[in-house]
Amino acid sequence: MDIGSLRCEFKHNPIGLGTLQPRLSWKLSSDRRGARQSAYRIVAESDERKIWDTGKVSSSQTHLIAYAGEALVSRQRVSWQVTVWDENDRSWSSAQPASWEMGLLDQDDW
């Protein structure tokens, strides 16, 4: 199973996000008939420090999963990867991490 097209708020590696709970999505492809996702795990890091780890979540959802980690701050850069499990409990991870960067969130940042 291939994991691709990692997106944050419908964009590839967006910069200047103003939402405190960005939504993450990915696409799956497989040449196996009937292949499907049975679970996922998202890990997000900032400054080489883990700020969110969903753990293994039993779900077929691949679209618009809201970030629920540590509070995000202005100009913060976050990288994230996803691991998925198929119907046979085999796992695959995204080959390359994706990222997003927060915009200016507070009046004082301007």
Side-chain angles (χ1 to χ4, degrees), residues 8-56:
C8 176
E9 290 297 319
F10 304 99
K11 296 181 176 127
H12 178 72
N13 298 335
I15 296 174
L17 287 183
T19 179
L20 296 176
Q21 292 182 302
R23 297 166 298 172
L24 309 176
S25 304
W26 58 90
K27 291 185 181 178
L28 300 174
S29 62
S30 176
D31 54 5
R32 276 187 313 121
R33 176 172 246 175
R36 63 178 178 78
Q37 174 183 303
S38 64
Y40 69 82
R41 177 184 182 202
I42 300 170
V43 175
E45 295 182 346
S46 182
D47 294 325
E48 299 181 21
R49 187 177 58 81
K50 192 182 301 182
I51 60 171
W52 186 42
D53 185 342
T54 64
K56 186 176 180 181

Side-chain angles (χ1 to χ4, degrees), residues 2-107:
D2 291 321
I3 305 167
S5 196
L6 275 65
R7 299 282 187 255
C8 176
E9 290 297 319
F10 304 99
K11 296 181 176 127
H12 178 72
N13 298 335
I15 296 174
L17 287 183
T19 179
L20 296 176
Q21 292 182 302
R23 297 166 298 172
L24 309 176
S25 304
W26 58 90
K27 291 185 181 178
L28 300 174
S29 62
S30 176
D31 54 5
R32 276 187 313 121
R33 176 172 246 175
R36 63 178 178 78
Q37 174 183 303
S38 64
Y40 69 82
R41 177 184 182 202
I42 300 170
V43 175
E45 295 182 346
S46 182
D47 294 325
E48 299 181 21
R49 187 177 58 81
K50 192 182 301 182
I51 60 171
W52 186 42
D53 185 342
T54 64
K56 186 176 180 181
V57 177
S58 293
S59 173
S60 61
Q61 185 176 1
T62 62
H63 194 65
L64 299 177
I65 297 168
Y67 171 81
E70 293 181 14
L72 299 169
V73 298
S74 294
R75 299 181 189 96
Q76 184 174 11
R77 184 167 177 82
V78 178
S79 64
W80 65 284
Q81 286 191 279
V82 63
T83 300
V84 300
W85 285 263
D86 70 5
E87 70 282 1
N88 298 313
D89 206 35
R90 288 181 289 187
S91 65
W92 285 267
S93 295
S94 51
Q96 297 291 325
S99 66
W100 78 80
E101 188 173 323
M102 299 305 294
L104 301 177
L105 302 174
D106 299 313
Q107 186 66 32

